[in-house]
């Protein structure tokens, strides 16, 4: 479940709401699936921070949920593990590496079905997202995700960059070539770019 700061933890929690499904709590390589001695039919692992490097080699038998989020939210998101090193967790280089890994996967496996989950949809319509995943993988909900008392849905995490001058200044200083790559991503996944980023 790529990509960083795009709702992978939220989606991991959602997957625990299905019947006959085991969710491995720690981040792990997909090879971990072969080592899990579980009775459940469906096994789920959340990718590691370097998982995108091997995405194009993902075996066809493994289903993929790919999480996406407005790139400006991703690029201005902080994380406890990296806060001491840098202001924002995902660098432009990391974001681009993950996006290019997705493009390589599509090229290497053009027939692969990928279930894309937009973070914003997960926040606004969690049960619809759950139903879509259930249909894609023939899963049965154990509980509606919206009724899961432990789900970490936080609408306040949306579009902080629009309200924060520091975040805006950082984003406006990004190279035009990188912003052009963001536009391609946004066009595909239905995200708006502000006028200043389209110049």
């Amino acid at each position: 479940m790529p990509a960083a700061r795009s709702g992978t933890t939220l989606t991991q929690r959602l997957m625990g709401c299905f019947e006959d499904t085991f969710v491995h709590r720690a981040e792990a390589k997909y090879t971990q699936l072969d080592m899990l001695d579980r009775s459940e039919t469906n096994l789920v692992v959340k990718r590691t921070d370097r998982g995108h490097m091997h995405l194009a080699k993902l075996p066809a038998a493994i289903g993929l949920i790919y999480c996406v989020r407005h790139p400006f939210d991703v690029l201005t998101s902080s994380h406890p593990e990296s806060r001491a090193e840098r202001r924002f967790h995902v660098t432009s280089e990391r974001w681009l590496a993950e996006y290019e890994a997705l493009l390589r996967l599509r090229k290497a496996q053009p027939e692969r079905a990928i279930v894309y989950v937009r973070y914003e949809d997960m926040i606004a319509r969690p049960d619809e997202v759950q139903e879509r995943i259930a249909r894609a993988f023939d899963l049965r909900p154990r509980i509606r995700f919206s009724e899961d008392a432990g789900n970490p849905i936080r609408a306040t995490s949306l579009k902080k960059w629009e309200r924060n001058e520091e975040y805006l200044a950082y984003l406006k200083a990004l190279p035009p070539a990188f912003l052009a790559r963001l536009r391609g991503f946004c066009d595909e996944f239905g995200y708006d770019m502000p006028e200043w980023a389209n110049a």
Side-chain angles (χ1 to χ4, degrees), residues 97-117:
E98 293 198 348
Y99 183 42
E100 289 180 342
L102 173 61
L103 299 180
R104 285 194 300 274
L105 170 66
R106 289 172 170 170
K107 185 175 181 180
Q109 302 182 34
E111 302 303 315
R112 171 180 280 280
I114 301 174
V115 177
Y116 293 100
V117 172

Side-chain angles (χ1 to χ4, degrees), residues 3-6 49 52 70-79 82-83 85-100 170-171 174-175 178 181-182:
R5 309 306 290 162
S6 295
D49 61 351
H52 63 280
H70 194 296
F72 284 178
D73 277 326
V74 173
L75 291 164
T76 56
S77 179
S78 61
H79 192 284
S82 60
R83 196 168 290 148
E85 303 169 31
R86 55 187 178 273
R87 178 68 180 86
F88 302 121
H89 184 64
V90 178
T91 64
S92 56
E93 293 82 8
R94 166 79 181 273
W95 187 94
L96 191 57
E98 293 198 348
Y99 183 42
E100 289 180 342
Y170 169 72
L171 294 170
L174 292 171
F178 178 66
R181 296 301 301 275
L182 295 185

